[in-house]
Amino acid sequence: MNPGIEGIVGMYVKLGELDTLQRMKEHRQNLLDQCVDTAHFSFDVTRSIYKSDLEVIEAGIESLSGEVTGHVDVFSENRIAGWALYEQHPDKRVTIDIYFNGDHVAEVVADQFRKDLLKLNKGDGHHAFMFEPPAGSYQPPLQLEIRAAKRKVLKAVTVEPPAATAEPATEAEAE
């Protein structure tokens, strides 16, 4: 762990500088994306440092963003949809992570407008999300988990295959 980044993030948390932490996160992510040559040790070390920095920055962002509220309204093979917002910062958008059987399959941002959310005083109403699973990916049995801001589970269910229907007995079998 890099104690320097911890001190910087801690200072920005104390000052309430959420936007600055968001910019730091974007910058570190851009640097990480540029370190693509994993065959060389120096790139591997640099990548691990950037990843560790991102964890610290994300923890700072989480501590300033506050509690996440949300709900998954629909989950089917055609669509997964709902809403999420930060209670203390409804102007910030929540990232939604979707997992199938423990595998991360999608990351979407809850930034779509819904009139009902606005009427319920849920920020500016731009807190909805929607994901269309790729064809054939929603195959029961399926462990489905939807997380908001990488931490709060909005929905965790097991989707079972439909029960086999028993065929009616023929007259010969009934005798």
Side-chain angles (χ1 to χ4, degrees):
M1 198 61 67
N2 179 349
I5 195 74
E6 290 176 350
I8 292 168
V9 168
M11 179 187 66
Y12 285 133
V13 167
K14 285 180 185 174
L15 294 172
E17 291 288 333
L18 184 59
D19 290 334
T20 303
L21 288 172
Q22 290 283 12
R23 286 193 304 275
M24 280 180 67
K25 178 182 174 183
E26 289 171 18
H27 180 259
R28 279 298 192 280
Q29 188 62 54
N30 287 336
L31 291 173
L32 180 61
D33 293 344
Q34 292 173 20
C35 293
V36 293
D37 184 358
T38 58
H40 292 89
F41 176 75
S42 62
F43 276 113
D44 194 38
V45 170
T46 302
R47 285 182 63 78
S48 71
I49 290 170
Y50 290 158
K51 284 179 182 178
S52 134
D53 287 357
L54 279 168
E55 289 175 13
V56 172
I57 294 167
E58 286 175 354
I61 290 170
E62 286 178 25
S63 71
L64 281 177
S65 297
E67 191 62 34
V68 176
T69 303
H71 187 263
V72 177
D73 303 317
V74 176
F75 61 96
S76 70
E77 64 186 73
N78 299 320
R79 188 167 75 116
I80 297 171
W83 62 273
L85 77 122
Y86 291 111
E87 287 289 329
Q88 295 174 330
H89 291 279
D91 57 317
K92 303 297 179 198
R93 304 304 176 215
V94 178
T95 300
I96 305 296
D97 291 293
I98 301 171
Y99 297 85
F100 288 178
N101 296 324
D103 295 327
H104 187 258
V105 295
E107 180 179 286
V108 296
V109 177
D111 62 357
Q112 298 174 6
F113 180 74
R114 277 187 21 193
K115 188 187 262 186
D116 63 324
L117 295 176
L118 185 61
K119 285 182 179 179
L120 293 170
N121 293 320
K122 300 294 183 185
D124 60 3
H126 290 268
H127 302 290
F129 65 88
M130 200 269 296
F131 171 69
E132 294 179 15
S137 65
Y138 193 97
Q139 294 295 317
L142 175 69
Q143 291 286 337
L144 172 68
E145 187 172 284
I146 300 158
R147 289 184 169 266
K150 300 200 183 293
R151 65 186 192 271
K152 181 172 183 172
V153 176
L154 293 180
K155 188 77 157 179
V157 295
T158 300
V159 180
E160 297 292 340
T165 56
E167 297 198 18
T170 63
E171 287 182 32
E173 291 174 337
E175 294 174 4

